[in-house]
Amino acid sequence: MGVSTETDLKTPLKVQFSRAFIVDMLFTLLAAVMTGLSAGVLLILLVFGWSSAQADPAGETAAGLQLISLDGRQIEMAPLLNTRVEIDVAGMLAWVKVEQVFTNPSQLWMEGNYQFPLAEGSAVERMRMQIGKRRIEGVIEEKAAAKRIFRQAREAGKKASLLSQQRPNFFTLSATNIAPGEQVRVTIEFQQTVDYSGEEFELRFPMVVAPRYIPKQLSLDEAASISPPVIAEGAGLINPLAMEVRIDAGMPLSQVVSRYHRMVEERKEPGVVHLRLADGEVQADRDIVINWRPEIGAEPQLALFREQWQGQDYALLMLMPPASATAAEVLSRELVFIIDRSGSMSGPSMAQAKAALRLAVSRLQPDDRFNLIAFNNRSQSLFSNPQSATATNQQRALGFIDRLRADGGTEMRPALELALNQQAQVERLRQIVFLTDGSVGNEQQLFTLIQDKLGDSRLFTVGIGSAPNSHFMQRAADFGRGSFSYIGDLSEVSSAMQVLFTKLEHPSMRDIRLDWQGRGELDVEPGRLPDLYLGEPLLLALKGSDLDGELQVVGERDGAAWSRLVDLGRGETQRAGVHALWARERIRSIMASTGTTTPQQRRQAVLKIALEHQLISPFTSLVAVEKTPVRPQNESLHGGDLPVSLPAGWSVQAVFGQLPGTATWAPLNLLLGIGLLGLAWITLQFAPRVTGRWV
């Protein structure tokens, strides 16, 4: 505590306060101005520093992108990247090979880092690097060890590649010591399941990593690892992708449709369809989605794939419960619709979401109760608690929807908490429908919230836009015992939402459980079985010492008990790699068990499975290193992160903001801004702060 002088004591209290207040305000204002200017400059550099990453109109640098070199002192060219994808579908399994060719068009030794998505649940088990005729197979190592091996190879001048998982559907591939004019070909192979719902199969291949909104809890390092730089709009065909697909569905097909890309279809052999992109190569700015529908009467009732691997039996089972033509029971429901109106939803995504909500409100029955919640930086609820779906309340909801605008950050947690905390009527089936593109970086925090607070509610996610975050959307629906739907185009809103609402109104089976009647123990994934709705199969990954026995599936259908026996020893199809799909699902379950295990326990359990089954995981990576050094010690290494396209329909201005151009009100705005900083300083002591950032 300071000691007051005699002069201080004689000074009127009002004068003391005024002088102190004025001095504090001046220093605060100056600090705020300098901080604002510094932050503005930093933001400009971070967000718009990549805007020059496009071909030179004069053609001098048309071969590559411009970016800052690893030494941070000069601007050099990044390696070019070409991607080729081959997919072979057999029944409900897809084997995928992704070939990425890094080309160095410069006279410098280069390195490239490329961030790309894969389908949720992909079991990545192989990588090889090819330089000319030389092939180097990748090996699975603990993540830190793989990174160390890669860095040592880089420093020694050896060619090397490193494949690491950032999220279950998001990977980073690095290739180093690419010689001038040289190509390095990196191939990864994985397996995934094909979705079946609404009487049709669907194969989705994600092609772009959308910028993520990063809440303040995540570090800048983690933010950078899940949000690559983006190329400027209008930069042309950058990092082109070619694709060929072979579909052997094992049954006659009535139609095959590519929803967002033109494809050429050929039927070279009975029951087999070959597809290739009609344009040869496309910009990787929206997901490729292919659907095929069986002929009437050929719908699957049971699909079983088996594999014996290292003394254990593995199986993948798809069981289609009988469809109910009508629901025997009348559902008393409470529906809460959550809509994302953050900046990433600007443009077509917002139009799709609003159209979907209008359709949802129009389908409500008088006995239903409902509420709407919209969010960006803050959450806004139509009602304090769900209300009856009267004509008046429906009109209020439509007005609420019409006023929605897309801007700001993506603070999902408060919106989910608001929905989960609102008072629910016990006798009603509570269904929460979440419409979003899922472009956030704190997925695990949201999964924990859903697990902790969902209770008896069901959560259904609707992916909006050209490249939704399928990891968040699918896993949130899994935790919520619901389902994930995808709307990639405004024309699909009506059909996609009709299918979803029909499912919501007609549960097919609830409270499903399994009774194994064979020998030994049976490990089943998922451990917590979801409810099933019309047209949805039960998909199980199984492991046991001897899967020669009967599995009884028991559930409740239309208010009555339902059961079915499946003989796992008969009629099976042998397929390599089924063990990897079981292991992938088990890793997902371990990572989701945040409430019952410690981080160290989860890490050890995942490491054991990933190393045993040779899979990439949150704690393992694939690394390939050439033995002989090739880069001379006197040659420096250049390069960096390869930028990606923004998802189709996204706007740089809506997501990141925009700098004022010439002949604008910028000078006046700056003066007004400085004048308002003092007021903002006081206001911000009491107002909620923006707690995240786009990267």
Side-chain angles (χ1 to χ4, degrees), residues 243-269:
M243 174 180 284
E244 293 185 0
V245 182
R246 178 183 181 273
I247 302 173
D248 183 359
M251 64 186 71
L253 302 180
S254 63
Q255 62 177 351
V256 180
V257 177
S258 173
R259 286 165 60 178
Y260 310 119
H261 297 82
R262 293 190 307 116
M263 286 195 169
V264 176
E265 177 180 330
E266 294 181 276
R267 304 205 179 202
K268 301 177 181 178
E269 47 196 303

Side-chain angles (χ1 to χ4, degrees), residues 212-217 338-345 373-381 404-418 436 439-440 442 654-655 684 687-694:
R212 308 288 179 93
Y213 179 80
I214 308 297
K216 64 179 181 179
Q217 295 89 347
I338 307 175
I339 181 170
D340 180 350
R341 65 178 193 93
S342 62
S344 65
M345 292 284 290
I373 296 172
F375 72 92
N376 52 10
N377 292 334
R378 63 188 185 89
S379 300
Q380 180 183 7
S381 180
L404 293 175
R405 298 293 180 269
D407 55 31
T410 314
E411 294 290 343
M412 286 188 182
R413 185 183 181 92
L416 278 169
E417 286 180 326
L418 185 59
T436 177
S439 294
V440 292
N442 63 328
V655 177
L684 288 175
R689 290 170 169 79
V690 176
T691 57
R693 58 200 179 276
W694 281 100

Side-chain angles (χ1 to χ4, degrees), residues 401-478:
I401 296 167
D402 289 340
R403 292 189 294 272
L404 293 175
R405 298 293 180 269
D407 55 31
T410 314
E411 294 290 343
M412 286 188 182
R413 185 183 181 92
L416 278 169
E417 286 180 326
L418 185 59
L420 296 172
N421 289 337
Q422 286 185 351
Q423 185 175 356
Q425 294 187 350
V426 177
E427 69 276 8
R428 292 178 178 269
L429 175 62
R430 196 161 194 261
Q431 299 170 330
I432 301 173
V433 181
F434 195 177
L435 298 95
T436 177
D437 57 12
S439 294
V440 292
N442 63 328
E443 296 99 331
Q444 191 58 53
Q445 296 174 0
L446 300 174
F447 298 153
T448 301
L449 172 67
I450 294 168
Q451 286 179 298
D452 291 345
K453 294 195 173 184
L454 186 70
D456 290 330
S457 299
R458 303 293 192 265
L459 176 63
F460 301 82
T461 56
V462 180
I464 298 291
S466 57
N469 178 358
S470 61
H471 167 53
F472 170 73
M473 309 296 288
Q474 184 63 64
R475 294 302 283 161
D478 290 345

Side-chain angles (χ1 to χ4, degrees), residues 194-242:
V194 175
D195 292 330
Y196 183 84
S197 181
E199 299 181 350
E200 69 177 12
F201 292 90
E202 179 173 287
L203 174 70
R204 179 166 170 243
F205 186 83
M207 293 208 301
V208 59
V209 175
R212 308 288 179 93
Y213 179 80
I214 308 297
K216 64 179 181 179
Q217 295 89 347
L218 295 189
S219 68
L220 288 174
D221 286 343
E222 184 173 0
S225 72
I226 60 174
S227 289
V230 299
I231 62 173
E233 293 173 293
L237 186 61
I238 303 298
N239 300 342
L241 180 141

Side-chain angles (χ1 to χ4, degrees), residues 197-198 333 355-360 362-365 462 485-487 491-506 533-534:
S197 181
R333 298 186 304 156
L357 270 186
R358 292 189 189 98
L359 181 61
S362 70
R363 286 181 64 101
L364 291 170
Q365 300 299 311
V462 180
S485 305
Y486 174 43
I487 300 176
S491 64
E492 298 172 353
V493 170
S494 178
S495 58
M497 296 306 287
Q498 293 282 3
V499 171
L500 174 61
F501 293 136
T502 299
K503 288 199 302 188
L504 295 182
E505 294 160 3
H506 300 95
Y533 291 79
L534 287 179

Side-chain angles (χ1 to χ4, degrees), residues 36-328:
L37 290 174
S38 301
V41 171
L42 180 59
L43 183 62
I44 291 167
L45 291 175
L46 287 173
V47 174
F48 296 95
W50 290 95
S51 63
S52 62
Q54 50 189 316
D56 184 349
E60 295 180 3
T61 59
L65 302 173
Q66 297 291 324
L67 58 132
I68 299 173
S69 66
L70 289 176
D71 57 19
R73 294 176 297 183
Q74 53 186 318
I75 295 179
E76 303 293 355
M77 301 179 68
L80 299 175
L81 182 70
N82 243 298
T83 303
R84 179 179 177 81
V85 180
E86 295 179 9
I87 303 178
D88 188 1
V89 178
M92 56 183 289
L93 295 180
W95 285 260
V96 187
K97 180 169 73 174
V98 179
E99 183 181 84
Q100 296 174 328
V101 180
F102 293 83
T103 303
N104 181 359
S106 75
Q107 298 303 308
L108 304 167
W109 287 82
M110 304 203 74
E111 174 177 304
N113 307 309
Y114 182 57
Q115 296 176 331
F116 61 97
L118 293 179
E120 168 73 4
S122 299
V124 181
E125 29 176 11
R126 187 180 184 189
M127 176 184 71
R128 64 178 176 270
M129 179 174 62
Q130 182 172 343
I131 310 101
K133 295 183 178 180
R134 304 188 307 280
R135 290 188 178 186
I136 301 103
E137 289 288 337
V139 294
I140 291 286
E141 299 279 0
E142 194 169 346
K143 202 167 194 175
K147 197 171 185 179
R148 184 172 60 254
I149 292 169
F150 179 80
R151 286 176 174 172
Q152 290 171 350
R154 172 206 282 162
E155 294 168 2
K158 299 177 182 179
K159 282 186 173 59
S161 58
L162 176 69
L163 181 62
S164 299
Q165 174 184 308
Q166 310 300 339
R167 293 291 189 270
N169 66 332
F170 180 15
F171 297 78
T172 297
L173 178 63
S174 301
T176 192
N177 287 313
I178 309 172
E182 188 177 46
Q183 282 190 348
V184 173
R185 191 181 308 270
V186 180
T187 303
I188 63 174
E189 297 180 13
F190 61 92
Q191 293 147 61
Q192 66 180 80
T193 56
V194 175
D195 292 330
Y196 183 84
S197 181
E199 299 181 350
E200 69 177 12
F201 292 90
E202 179 173 287
L203 174 70
R204 179 166 170 243
F205 186 83
M207 293 208 301
V208 59
V209 175
R212 308 288 179 93
Y213 179 80
I214 308 297
K216 64 179 181 179
Q217 295 89 347
L218 295 189
S219 68
L220 288 174
D221 286 343
E222 184 173 0
S225 72
I226 60 174
S227 289
V230 299
I231 62 173
E233 293 173 293
L237 186 61
I238 303 298
N239 300 342
L241 180 141
M243 174 180 284
E244 293 185 0
V245 182
R246 178 183 181 273
I247 302 173
D248 183 359
M251 64 186 71
L253 302 180
S254 63
Q255 62 177 351
V256 180
V257 177
S258 173
R259 286 165 60 178
Y260 310 119
H261 297 82
R262 293 190 307 116
M263 286 195 169
V264 176
E265 177 180 330
E266 294 181 276
R267 304 205 179 202
K268 301 177 181 178
E269 47 196 303
V272 179
V273 178
H274 295 259
L275 302 171
R276 70 176 188 276
L277 288 167
D279 296 326
E281 295 179 334
V282 297
Q283 184 83 299
D285 64 355
R286 70 179 307 151
D287 296 353
I288 290 179
V289 180
I290 302 171
N291 297 89
W292 56 96
R293 185 179 291 268
E295 289 183 356
I296 296 176
E299 294 85 356
Q301 296 300 317
L302 175 68
L304 180 62
F305 299 86
R306 286 188 57 168
E307 179 187 27
Q308 285 190 331
W309 187 80
Q310 294 191 359
Q312 292 286 313
D313 282 354
Y314 295 86
L316 195 64
L317 171 67
M318 184 181 79
L319 174 64
M320 183 65 66
S324 300
T326 58

